[in-house]
Amino acid sequence: MRYSTQVRPVSYLKANAADVLTDLNERREPVLITQNGQAKAVLVDVVSFEETQETLALLKILALGQREIEAGETVDARTAIAALKDRLAPSA
C-alpha cells in the first residue's frame, strides 16, 4: 500500500475533517498528515487500527514463545496436556 496517494496538509484536515473521516471509513486507507511539508501523523480508521493492534499482540506472543524455545523453557506436548488434565480434573 502506498501512502503517497493519501497525503494531506494539516490545513486541509482542519477545513475538511468530516470529509476526511468519511473517506477514511469508506476507503480504509491511511491518510498521511503533513505540517510545513513534513509528515507528522497518520490517520487510520478504527477497524484497521484494531486489526493492527490484534496483529501486534499475536506477534508479541510469537516472539515470547520463540524466546522461551531458545532459552529451553519448554515441555513436550504430552507433559503439558497431562498437567492441564490434572489441573482441570474435579477434586474428590
Side-chain angles (χ1 to χ4, degrees), residues 32-36 38-42:
L32 180 67
I33 302 300
T34 62
Q35 187 175 36
N36 298 324
Q38 295 182 348
K40 293 293 182 175
V42 177

Side-chain angles (χ1 to χ4, degrees), residues 48-63:
S48 295
F49 177 77
E50 289 173 342
E51 289 172 351
T52 299
Q53 294 304 303
E54 290 170 3
T55 300
L56 288 172
L58 289 172
L59 288 171
K60 285 180 182 180
I61 291 168
L62 288 172

